Amino acid sequence: MADALVPTKPHIQARAHVASFAAYEALHRASLADPSGFWRRQAQRVTWFRQFDETVQQDFARAEVAWFLGGKLNASYNCVDRHLAERAEQTAIVWAKDEPGQYERISYRQLHEHVGRLANVLRRFGVRKGDRVCIYLPMMPEAVYAMLACARIGAVHSVVFAGFSADALRDRIADADCRVVLTANEGLRGGKTIPLKKTVDEAIAGLPVHTVLVAQRTATATPMQQGRDRWLADELPKQRACCPVEWMDSEDPLFVLYTSGSTGKPKGQLHTTGGYLVYASYTHELVFDWRPGDVHFCAADVGWVTGHSYIVYGPLCNGATTVLFESTPLHPDAGRYWQVVDDVQANIFYTAPTALRALLRVGDEPVKKHARTSLRVLGSVGEPINPEVWQWYHDVVGDKRCAVVDTWWQTETGGILISALPGATPCKPGSATFPLPGVRPLLVDDQGKELVGNGVSGNLCLAGSWPGQARTILNDHARFQQTYFAMYPGLYFTGDGCRRDEDGYYWITGRVDDVLNVAGHRLGTAEIESALVSHEFCAEAAVVGFPHDLKGQGIYAYVIAGKAAEGVPAAEVEAVLKQVVRKVISPIATPDRIQVVPGLPKTRSGKIMRRILRKVAEANYTELGDLSTLAEPQVVEQIVQGHKAGR
Ligand code: WTA
């Protein structure tokens, strides 16, 4: 059966940057015929202190790419200073505070002052070009100031999501060798406080961090270690608001952001200045069909790449008004997003399917209570969006009047690669549709053979570089090369499976590696397993994902109990181990179910057969496949019985 097409809307087409499918196709074709010319022209959207000499150099075999070589620019200058002539009094940031109905507006002029002052504070505490600075802040303007202050002086920021535990924070601070950390006394989210400073204290014990700069978000007192900890409120007034920018090389690092892979600990993806900024700006304007004056509301957290590219760098580089949303979609009720949309008159709204699924479940009434007439483009990101959820987003949230864009990309890609364009692309609900101009996706089979034509499924790769691509993994280029460029020589491998249907539409089918996507958060099974076995109650663990109504994927952990757990009731073992994962990683990584098993299905060479464990976790007991190659086939029956008993 052919999938229903949702046509583009004439009133959106009438004002769109790309106003028809034919125009998109022509643009895409031209971009691939002359990528270098295409990106050379796109690069003029940012202000260069010195023009670049060469557009691109790429060598996928070595995992080396460089864009806009010889150019000099500064991301903070592009996101702040260059707007002062035309829009100094325009709101740059609307902070929608956790407390319903409370907003703070920061103009570009004010942003310039805040960023300058904070940059001078960083300098005062010894931060120099190339130094890494950890930002562990909640969704408050200081987080944005801090990112731009680092960029201003050429420091490399490493934002760590404020939901990560002390252990996870510690690993990231140590890996990037950060000596300065910015945090808040507490975070506030959904009416609950989060003890951020306390977590930092625990995380940095024994590490060579010499300065902790503390923003104040709540009235709660927090212990301050003399000589190390400073209140931002005390330090900022001592500094001048004006701070000269450091002119960076196009390929100088802008930031590092940790993300989970199939093996080991999270890796620091390194993004550089020129390519990343051009790409964030380009995709923000094109995909959301942004125009001057539009209010852009991306509900992600700055701790994830979506927040980096579509709350901070893309919108601010383009001179937009960007919304910084501190709360949750359900606080104080399921109408919160739409209340904010009305209050700030947002034209663009961007969130993850997991939030939409939670809202859909509550029903239409909280949506309809609010007008939402300012909305024009609705975006989705982070995981496959179920067709029913897409339709609800379009019909109910968007009143069948807004364009819906399902945007596929990754921390590694820096910005959106596959997405509909509001005025150009007829949509199929559930499909991310087509690659952006300048982007060339390719599907290959497991042997690396390209699957040509339509109506094919395979592993999603990209042929050729794009400016937003991550350049390396911090301190581990070999791993970068191995993970993304070794599997299919000459191509960048995404780790995602994908179908290109009869009409050429791309459908992302999810990860083909051991990476989970839980409520839009990326987690490695290896990471969770290593957290579990860090406790003496767990001798061995195997973690798999299973379909989950709200979160997209849930986390299912099979564990072999350790000696210390002998005689301990299974319920207690499970509770303790869940707590361990929360502590070592984050509450977002908590397994939905832990099943204590007598053994794991392994091949005779000792490899865990995850395929079987996945089938059991999804209660699919009849398609377990051939068990004869297992070392102990009988454990499968025991695992199945245990699963049934726990349902
Ligand atoms: C998944 C988030 C389907 C995908 C920006 C990818 C998606 C991983 C979509 C990256 C989408 C992201 N449809 N799947 N529109 N967007 N993904 O690094 O598996 O947190 O590889 O970046 O999320 O997650 P990350």
Side-chain angles (χ1 to χ4, degrees):
M1 192 188 84
D3 299 286
L5 271 189
V6 180
T8 46
K9 297 166 177 59
H11 72 279
I12 288 177
Q13 268 177 305
R15 64 175 302 287
H17 290 294
V18 183
S20 70
F21 194 65
Y24 156 73
E25 283 184 304
L27 208 58
H28 191 249
R29 214 176 306 118
S31 74
L32 297 193
D34 176 19
S36 185
F38 177 79
W39 290 116
R40 190 171 60 240
R41 285 187 298 280
Q42 283 304 329
Q44 298 316 317
R45 56 178 47 257
V46 308
T47 304
W48 295 88
F49 174 66
R50 183 190 184 280
Q51 271 296 333
F52 49 92
D53 308 308
E54 196 183 345
T55 305
V56 58
Q57 281 182 2
Q58 73 163 79
D59 179 350
F60 272 12
R62 291 201 166 80
E64 278 168 14
V65 289
W67 282 88
F68 312 127
L69 292 95
K72 284 196 178 292
L73 77 167
N74 182 285
S76 178
Y77 178 88
N78 271 282
C79 291
V80 187
D81 305 48
R82 69 160 174 164
H83 303 308
L84 295 180
E86 279 193 15
R87 39 172 68 105
E89 301 311 321
Q90 182 200 304
T91 300
I93 300 172
V94 188
W95 183 26
K97 301 175 75 166
D98 191 55
E99 299 90 341
Q102 287 198 25
Y103 299 92
E104 271 180 37
R105 290 181 167 74
I106 297 113
S107 68
Y108 273 97
R109 187 176 50 72
Q110 292 166 323
L111 180 62
H112 182 247
E113 290 176 17
H114 287 297
V115 171
R117 237 182 257 286
L118 186 49
N120 283 325
V121 171
L122 293 176
R123 281 218 161 117
R124 149 82 179 80
F125 290 100
V127 178
R128 298 287 174 263
K129 181 175 174 181
D131 291 349
R132 272 84 52 219
V133 172
C134 176
I135 300 175
Y136 186 67
L137 277 163
M139 289 291 284
M140 64 195 291
E142 281 73 5
V144 183
Y145 305 159
M147 292 165 78
L148 295 173
C150 287
R152 195 164 190 88
I153 61 174
V156 181
H157 59 71
S158 166
V159 182
V160 177
F161 174 56
F164 277 120
S165 70
D167 291 6
L169 175 61
R170 180 188 181 80
D171 287 346
R172 288 159 174 77
I173 292 174
D175 185 71
D177 192 21
C178 300
R179 304 297 171 99
V180 174
V181 178
L182 288 111
T183 190
N185 62 330
E186 286 186 321
L188 188 61
R189 194 161 180 272
K192 294 196 193 76
T193 56
I194 307 151
L196 299 178
K197 171 64 167 58
K198 190 166 154 275
T199 306
V200 169
D201 288 340
E202 202 182 321
I204 64 177
L207 294 182
V209 171
H210 57 70
T211 304
V212 178
L213 297 166
V214 187
Q216 179 148 15
R217 178 58 184 96
T218 65
T220 314
T222 182
M224 298 288 277
Q225 182 177 315
Q226 190 151 27
R228 188 196 70 183
D229 304 347
R230 321 260 171 176
W231 289 106
L232 271 180
D234 293 337
E235 299 303 325
L236 289 166
K238 295 182 198 162
Q239 299 298 327
R240 288 168 11 111
C242 163
C243 174
V245 301
E246 189 82 45
W247 294 111
M248 305 299 284
D249 210 86
S250 183
E251 281 298 326
D252 277 336
L254 177 62
F255 66 85
V256 35
L257 183 58
Y258 286 82
T259 191
S260 302
S262 356
T263 55
K265 289 193 166 166
K267 325 270 184 310
Q269 299 288 336
L270 189 92
H271 284 278
T272 57
T273 310
Y276 172 81
L277 195 65
V278 166
Y279 201 70
S281 160
Y282 163 69
T283 50
H284 169 253
E285 178 168 305
L286 188 72
V287 173
F288 301 105
D289 204 31
W290 180 82
R291 295 279 167 147
D294 279 352
V295 175
H296 180 87
F297 177 7
C298 165
D301 192 284
V302 286
W304 310 115
V305 75
T306 306
H308 281 58
S309 301
Y310 301 113
I311 296 176
V312 183
Y313 288 108
L316 294 179
C317 186
N318 290 341
T321 296
T322 190
V323 179
L324 190 67
F325 178 66
E326 191 180 27
S327 198
T328 80
L330 298 170
H331 179 70
D333 58 50
R336 185 64 189 276
Y337 277 159
W338 327 121
Q339 178 70 58
V340 174
V341 164
D342 283 358
D343 289 347
V344 308
Q345 289 293 292
N347 308 102
I348 299 160
F349 176 71
Y350 193 30
T351 193
T354 188
L356 297 172
R357 286 192 294 266
L359 295 177
L360 190 157
R361 178 178 278 204
V362 182
D364 299 359
E365 192 266 338
V367 185
K368 296 200 161 140
K369 221 166 66 192
H370 303 280
R372 291 160 287 115
T373 45
S374 57
L375 288 175
R376 193 179 73 246
V377 177
L378 301 173
S380 168
V381 61
E383 33 169 342
I385 181 165
N386 339 33
E388 320 77 67
V389 176
W390 193 103
Q391 205 67 55
W392 182 78
Y393 203 20
H394 176 269
D395 293 356
V396 179
V397 175
D399 275 330
K400 303 186 179 169
R401 184 178 47 73
C402 299
V404 172
V405 291
D406 172 15
T407 67
W408 174 86
W409 59 296
Q410 313 177 295
T411 305
E412 294 87 338
T413 72
I416 298 161
L417 294 185
I418 301 181
S419 172
L421 300 183
T425 318
C427 286
K428 294 188 185 185
S431 163
T433 74
F434 296 98
L436 302 190
V439 174
R440 192 147 70 92
L442 204 116
L443 302 185
V444 298
D445 66 16
D446 288 339
Q447 280 67 50
K449 197 165 132 321
E450 183 181 352
L451 300 163
V452 288
N454 291 338
V456 289
S457 287
N459 302 308
L460 179 62
C461 294
L462 291 146
S465 183
W466 63 99
Q469 183 167 27
R471 301 299 194 256
T472 192
I473 288 171
L474 190 68
N475 306 325
D476 203 348
H477 193 71
R479 167 144 265 158
F480 185 69
Q481 196 272 339
Q482 268 300 316
T483 309
Y484 306 106
F485 300 91
M487 188 84 99
Y488 307 114
L491 301 174
Y492 165 86
F493 174 49
T494 65
D496 280 324
C498 182
R499 175 165 69 92
R500 187 166 54 224
D501 75 11
E502 274 63 27
D503 304 316
Y505 282 70
Y506 286 82
W507 300 74
I508 310 297
T509 49
R511 303 289 304 198
V512 294
D513 55 11
D514 289 323
V515 171
L516 304 181
N517 193 328
V518 180
H521 303 313
R522 232 171 111 164
L523 296 163
T525 52
E527 203 183 334
I528 304 171
E529 288 161 6
S530 120
L532 287 165
V533 298
S534 73
H535 194 276
E536 56 184 3
F537 277 5
C538 178
E540 201 178 344
V543 168
V544 297
F546 69 98
H548 188 287
D549 284 351
L550 277 182
K551 300 196 279 188
Q553 262 189 319
I555 303 174
Y556 202 103
Y558 298 90
V559 308
I560 301 178
K563 272 231 159 346
E566 258 172 44
V568 182
E572 195 181 325
V573 174
E574 289 167 30
V576 167
L577 290 179
K578 281 189 183 176
Q579 201 52 41
V580 167
V581 177
R582 294 173 75 89
K583 180 167 178 306
V584 175
I585 307 175
S586 163
I588 59 178
T590 314
D592 295 276
R593 169 105 200 265
I594 292 183
Q595 183 184 339
V596 177
V597 294
L600 290 167
K602 289 184 186 170
T603 58
R604 290 191 190 103
S605 59
K607 194 173 164 297
I608 295 175
M609 299 286 283
R610 287 169 192 281
R611 182 179 48 79
I612 296 174
L613 294 175
R614 279 190 211 107
K615 293 277 184 225
V616 175
E618 62 194 48
N620 190 344
Y621 311 124
T622 51
E623 291 170 35
L624 299 179
D626 180 14
L627 304 181
S628 64
T629 58
L630 293 180
E632 302 172 282
Q634 73 283 5
V635 299
V636 174
E637 186 49 35
Q638 292 167 307
I639 290 173
V640 167
Q641 290 315 323
H643 181 269
K644 284 182 178 162
R647 291 191 78 201

